[in-house]
Amino acid sequence: MGYIINRNKKLFYYLGIVIIFLVISIYQSGLYPDRVIEVSAQSNTNEICDDPNSEEDFPWMIGPWVKYPHNPILTAGDYEWESKNVLNPTALVKDGKVYLFYRAQNNKRISCIGLAISEDGYNFEKQSEPILVPTENYEFAGTEDPRIVEIDGIYYMTYTGWIYHTNYLCLAVSKDFIHWEKKGKILPDWPMASKSGAIVPKKINDQYFMYFGDSDIFIATSKNLIDWEPEIKPVLYRRFRKKDNGERYFDSLLVELGPTPIVTEQGILLIYNGANFSKEYATGEVLFSLQDPRVVLKRTDMPVLEVDNILEEKGEVNNVVFSEGLVQFNGKWFLYFGMGDSRIGVAVADLKFVQ
C-alpha cells in the first residue's frame, strides 16, 4: 500500500510539472500578445546594441563562420543502412584525424549511427558498418542525433532513442569509440519526451553538468556521468517576444542543443540551434557562467549560421541548418551541421581561443 501511495504521489508531481509547462507554453505563444513574460531576467538578459552579435565587453564567440564551398562533405547512399539520409553529426579529434559520428537513415527511415574518418576535416571515408544500432525497446525505431565527449579516457555519447510516438535521451559509453555499452535512458522519470543532451567536458563545483532539451533548454547534474538529476526550470528559453523593431528572433519557436559545450576563460560556450515560426532552422551561440552554469552571460541576437542555398532549403526537412559537431583542428574550429536533414556540411572559423 505504501508503495502505491508513493508511486501516486510521484505521478501527481510529474503531472503537475507537465501542466505547468503547458500553461507557460500557451501563455507565451501569443494568446496574450499585449503581455510580455520576463523569464529569468538575470540569467537570460541579452545585450542589444548596434551589432546584434556584439563582443564589446569581452570576446566570447566563435566566428565568423565560413561555409566550406564544396559542401556537402557527406551524402547518403553508399550502404543500405544509410541509403536515405545522413545528418546531424557529432565529432572529435583523435591521433590527428577527425572522427565524425553521424545519424544515418535507411529507406524505412530507421536511424543508426555511422562513423566517417578524415585527415583534413573535409574529405571523409565512411566505415562500412554502423557503430550504434537500435537494439532496445526504448529505441526500436532509431538511434539518432549523437553528441560525444571524452572525459578521463572514456567516451560518453548521448543520443536519442526513438519509438515513433516519443523519444528518450539515452547514453552509451566506450573506451575506443568503436565498441559501445548502452546505459539506457538518462532521464527515465522526466515527464516529457527528452532528447539532445550535451555534457560539459569538465567538472564545475564538484559535479558534471549536461544541457538538454528541444523546446527550451534545461540542465541536469551528475557525480558520475551515468546517473543524472534534471532540473525543471529551463536555463535557456525560446524567445517569443518580438524585437524592438517588431521582428521575430531566429529562435522564437524553439531552441535545441548543438555540439558538446566548450569551456573557456570567459565561460561555458554552447552553440545551439533555433527555429522560428516559419520553421526555419539556424544556429546561435550562448555563453553560460563558470560559477553557475545555469546563468546566461551572453547570447547572440542574430544567427551565426543559417540557410542560404538549395541543399539546405530542400531535403527531408526543408530550410534546415542544424549544427551538432564542433572540433578544434589544424588551427581552426570546424563546425559540422545537417543540411535539410539529408546531408552534412561544415563551416570553419579562426581559432580565437583554445579549448
Side-chain angles (χ1 to χ4, degrees):
M1 178 65 70
Y3 168 77
I4 295 174
I5 293 173
N6 290 335
R7 186 180 64 179
N8 288 339
K9 285 182 178 179
K10 193 173 187 179
L11 177 63
F12 283 120
Y13 171 74
Y14 283 120
L15 182 61
I17 294 174
V18 172
I19 293 172
I20 290 171
F21 279 127
L22 288 174
V23 171
I24 291 174
S25 296
I26 293 171
Y27 187 88
Q28 290 185 334
S29 63
L31 293 181
Y32 302 93
D34 296 327
R35 301 282 297 276
V36 177
I37 295 180
E38 294 295 336
V39 286
S40 197
Q42 291 183 342
S43 64
N44 280 287
T45 300
N46 298 298
E47 299 282 337
I48 307 296
C49 56
D50 292 337
D51 180 355
N53 291 343
S54 173
E55 292 191 324
E56 63 178 11
D57 296 333
F58 54 87
W60 67 275
M61 295 169 54
I62 302 178
W65 292 101
V66 179
K67 292 180 182 177
Y68 181 50
H70 302 297
N71 281 337
I73 59 164
L74 212 68
T75 56
D78 292 316
Y79 304 103
E80 186 281 331
W81 51 270
E82 48 112 82
S83 53
K84 181 66 175 177
N85 296 305
V86 295
L87 62 157
N88 298 1
T90 188
L92 61 81
V93 173
K94 183 74 172 177
D95 299 327
K97 298 178 182 179
V98 177
Y99 289 76
L100 195 72
F101 303 83
Y102 62 96
R103 176 179 169 187
Q105 202 173 47
N106 64 18
N107 285 323
K108 296 180 180 179
R109 290 182 170 80
I110 302 295
S111 294
C112 58
I113 296 173
L115 172 63
I117 304 171
S118 174
E119 295 185 353
D120 64 5
Y122 302 104
N123 299 286
F124 284 85
E125 181 179 349
K126 295 176 183 175
Q127 305 303 291
S128 60
E129 298 292 335
I131 58 115
L132 205 70
V133 299
T135 58
E136 310 301 321
N137 59 8
Y138 55 78
E139 59 180 21
F140 67 82
T143 52
E144 305 176 352
D145 301 350
R147 291 165 177 85
I148 193 168
V149 63
E150 179 185 5
I151 299 176
D152 296 333
I154 305 294
Y155 300 95
Y156 298 84
M157 179 186 291
T158 63
Y159 66 95
T160 298
W162 172 241
I163 59 171
Y164 291 123
H165 65 276
T166 192
N167 42 256
Y168 301 103
L169 182 58
C170 303
L171 179 69
V173 300
S174 173
K175 293 183 178 180
D176 60 9
F177 56 75
I178 301 297
H179 305 93
W180 293 87
E181 177 187 355
K182 293 179 179 178
K183 296 295 186 180
K185 294 183 282 188
I186 297 180
L187 307 172
D189 295 326
W190 188 247
M192 300 174 290
S194 59
K195 63 184 300 187
S196 303
I199 298 172
V200 179
K202 296 181 180 179
K203 265 188 174 182
I204 298 173
N205 300 329
D206 199 37
Q207 59 186 343
Y208 293 103
F209 287 84
M210 176 181 66
Y211 298 101
F212 71 96
D214 66 332
S215 51
D216 299 311
I217 291 176
F218 300 84
I219 201 166
T221 59
S222 175
K223 293 290 187 180
N224 60 10
L225 292 164
I226 303 297
D227 304 300
W228 292 89
E229 290 292 332
E231 299 180 8
I232 64 171
K233 181 180 178 181
V235 296
L236 192 72
Y237 292 83
R238 64 195 115 169
R239 290 182 280 198
F240 287 103
R241 71 183 187 279
K242 294 181 179 179
K243 301 179 185 178
D244 291 341
N245 61 9
E247 294 179 355
R248 291 283 186 184
Y249 286 94
F250 73 95
D251 51 10
S252 55
L253 179 64
L254 62 84
V255 289
E256 184 171 352
L257 268 296
T260 298
I262 62 172
V263 178
T264 73
E265 292 182 355
Q266 293 85 356
I268 303 166
L269 177 58
L270 181 67
I271 294 175
Y272 73 96
N273 300 287
N276 59 24
F277 282 98
S278 298
K279 296 186 178 179
E280 298 165 329
Y281 280 77
T283 300
E285 299 185 24
V286 59
L287 187 71
F288 289 93
S289 168
L290 278 173
Q291 284 68 47
D292 184 352
R294 304 165 184 82
V295 174
V296 171
L297 302 177
K298 295 281 188 177
R299 182 179 184 178
T300 56
D301 290 332
M302 299 291 290
V304 299
L305 204 67
E306 58 187 329
V307 171
D308 64 8
N309 65 73
I310 189 64
L311 295 179
E312 299 160 352
E313 294 171 356
K314 302 295 182 182
E316 184 74 17
V317 180
N318 294 336
N319 298 311
V320 173
V321 164
F322 196 92
S323 300
E324 199 165 308
L326 177 69
V327 294
Q328 177 185 308
F329 184 66
N330 285 350
K332 290 185 178 294
W333 288 104
F334 284 65
L335 180 62
Y336 296 96
F337 58 92
M339 306 171 66
D341 270 11
S342 297
R343 51 198 76 87
I344 293 171
V346 66
V348 297
D350 290 336
L351 200 64
K352 187 177 295 186
F353 40 73
V354 178
Q355 184 177 3

